[in-house]
Amino acid sequence: VPTTTLLTSIAAIAILVGCIMALAQIDLKRMLSYILVAEVGYIALGVGMANRNGLTGAILHIMNDAFMMACLFFAVGAIVYKTGTRNIHQLKNLHRRMPFTMGAFVVAGLSVIGIPPLCGFFSKWYLILGAIDGGQWLFVAVLLASSLLSAILFFRVIDNAYFDHMRARKGDSHEKSAVSPPRQTEMDEAPLSMLVPTLVAALGIAVLGVSSMKIISTMIQYAVPASF
């Protein structure tokens, strides 16, 4: 079996298994850990496709992923610090208590899903182009399916943090929240030593997104072998 075939096969499995296992978690940190497995799979998949677009996407994703995952882990660390819980279903009204932290989490989550103009979209776009260039339609399907799974798992968190109090008023919510009811919730963000790095990482995600073409043309193109 050629090395590239073995590498791309393992990478595709890692992407799907990582996303599916993340979807099965209610613990935020465990969810992010499985997402990280999938993110490494994206990079390996781009390298294994061994063409210009695939390798460009892999290199770009290394840089993008550093900011995306750092932002997510920073945000979750702040959430755990202030609420004492990692249970997704216990985060009702968190957008009121920690609006900046949740805003950063949403930005990073949307980037992982691949929503433009955030940086995650551009590296995934090049990975998809690499799969198309190599005629690997199965990998195109894997990349699109992983984005769908990522959307489901991140919107599950966002739904609990931003909208679940609406269901709670109707008596539909069965999980006790670690955050106070809406009328009693006041802003109580993490200390600046935790909040500032989170917001810087979120800003980096946006800046990398709008600068992606410049980054590719001025740096990444020189890292890709001329033979590709």
Side-chain angles (χ1 to χ4, degrees):
V1 179
T3 303
T4 54
T5 302
L6 182 62
L7 180 59
T8 51
S9 299
I10 294 173
I13 292 170
I15 292 170
L16 291 177
V17 171
C19 289
I20 292 170
M21 290 300 296
L23 193 60
Q25 307 305 314
I26 60 171
D27 183 308
L28 268 175
K29 280 192 175 181
R30 287 177 64 88
M31 185 189 86
L32 293 186
S33 298
Y34 282 113
I35 291 172
L36 189 55
V37 172
E39 294 299 305
V40 174
Y42 291 129
I43 297 166
L45 185 64
V47 173
M49 284 186 287
N51 56 44
R52 176 165 288 273
N53 280 328
L55 191 54
T56 298
I59 296 171
L60 187 60
H61 203 69
I62 291 171
M63 181 169 52
N64 292 346
D65 202 42
F67 279 84
M68 294 189 300
M69 297 311 297
C71 185
L72 287 171
F73 276 106
F74 286 161
V76 171
I79 290 169
V80 174
Y81 178 81
K82 295 303 293 186
T83 68
T85 184
R86 304 191 310 203
N87 189 319
I88 293 170
H89 300 300
Q90 294 180 350
L91 302 180
K92 304 172 187 66
N93 309 312
L94 190 61
H95 70 295
R96 295 174 181 269
R97 179 171 173 181
M98 305 179 71
F100 295 106
T101 298
M102 279 308 303
F105 182 92
V106 169
V107 168
L110 293 178
S111 185
V112 171
I113 294 168
I115 303 297
L118 301 174
C119 64
F121 167 79
F122 295 96
S123 47
K124 281 192 175 184
W125 176 252
Y126 273 92
L127 291 173
I128 290 173
L129 290 179
I132 293 173
D133 290 346
Q136 302 289 347
W137 297 103
L138 178 60
F139 296 148
V140 174
V142 167
L143 290 166
L144 294 175
S146 68
S147 289
L148 177 60
L149 291 171
S150 295
I152 294 170
L153 65 91
F154 275 108
F155 279 111
R156 179 183 59 169
V157 179
I158 294 169
D159 177 57
N160 276 282
Y162 281 85
F163 307 113
D164 201 68
H165 63 278
M166 298 178 184
R167 291 195 293 272
R169 290 173 186 168
K170 299 177 182 179
D172 297 333
S173 182
H174 61 276
E175 194 82 42
K176 184 179 179 181
S177 177
V179 187
S180 303
R183 293 181 181 176
Q184 301 175 21
T185 303
E186 297 180 357
M187 191 170 76
D188 184 21
E189 276 286 359
L192 286 178
S193 59
M194 301 179 76
L195 181 60
V196 170
T198 307
L199 296 179
V200 169
L203 178 62
I205 290 170
V207 170
L208 286 174
V210 299
S211 306
S212 288
M213 296 300 102
K214 188 73 172 177
I215 293 169
I216 291 169
S217 63
T218 58
M219 291 186 287
I220 294 179
Q221 67 166 339
Y222 299 109
V224 179
S227 57
F228 278 20

